[in-house]
Amino acid sequence: MSLTLHGRPSRRQWVTITAVIAVVIGGFIWAAIASLRWAETHDMVEDPISDRMMDKKSRQLQRVLDGMIARDYKKVADAAGKIETISESMEWFIADKEYDGDRTALRDSLHALQDAAAANSSEAAILSADQLVDSCMRCHDHMATDPARRSR
């Protein structure tokens, strides 16, 4: 591609220059969008294992409620035991010392719920289930305000 004698690009050269600029700008835009999409995806699946484990805990918490409504204390105790097992397998996720109180509150409420279910005590089960939900909410609130975990 050569310039004309007067130093001005020909029409064909302008079209070529414009096309090259459009491709370059389009490439930059595509790269920016691709980077943003990757970042969003990365944040959303930052820890898919813990997300799945939290889903399992939520399903077991629903089983606790279902068991309490039906006064099926075996179901309540079983679900509480499964929540405890899942929580123990997630210790790596919240291994920080600052979460010790949250883990202890969860464990204590699960043990109290299992004891209440073993005694077929509706009142104690209700109180323990309330403490269980409270411990879950406090931990999730704690995580939401922890700058290192805010994206989770």
Side-chain angles (χ1 to χ4, degrees):
M1 172 163 57
S2 64
L3 298 176
T4 59
L5 293 176
H6 301 288
R8 297 182 61 185
S10 68
R11 182 175 174 89
R12 184 175 186 191
Q13 290 169 331
W14 272 116
V15 170
T16 303
I17 291 170
T18 304
V20 168
I21 291 172
V23 168
V24 170
I25 291 172
F28 282 126
I29 292 171
W30 177 84
I33 291 171
S35 295
L36 289 172
R37 284 187 180 156
W38 180 86
E40 289 172 359
T41 303
H42 180 69
D43 288 343
M44 288 173 32
V45 294
E46 184 173 352
D47 202 343
I49 293 171
S50 65
D51 291 345
R52 286 193 307 259
M53 299 302 272
M54 291 306 296
D55 288 343
K56 287 181 179 184
K57 285 171 69 173
S58 294
R59 284 193 299 275
Q60 293 306 316
L61 187 57
Q62 181 62 48
R63 286 188 65 229
V64 166
L65 178 61
D66 293 345
M68 289 178 59
I69 289 169
R71 295 190 190 276
D72 181 348
Y73 296 108
K74 182 179 181 326
K75 185 176 191 175
V76 171
D78 179 62
K82 287 182 179 175
I83 293 171
E84 185 171 21
T85 301
I86 294 165
S87 297
E88 287 170 356
S89 71
M90 292 182 68
E91 293 275 327
W92 59 270
F93 184 67
I94 53 170
D96 308 19
K97 287 270 188 218
E98 64 186 278
Y99 290 97
D100 283 349
D102 296 326
R103 280 193 301 275
T104 301
L106 175 68
R107 197 171 305 125
D108 291 349
S109 64
L110 287 167
H111 290 168
L113 184 57
Q114 289 170 321
D115 291 345
N120 291 333
S121 172
S122 178
E123 288 182 29
I126 291 169
L127 178 62
S128 301
D130 184 51
Q131 291 169 346
L132 172 60
V133 171
D134 186 57
S135 72
C136 294
M137 295 303 297
R138 278 186 280 126
C139 185
H140 282 258
D141 285 347
H142 187 184
M143 290 186 83
T145 59
D146 183 348
R149 297 184 183 272
R150 193 164 287 148
S151 66
R152 293 182 185 192

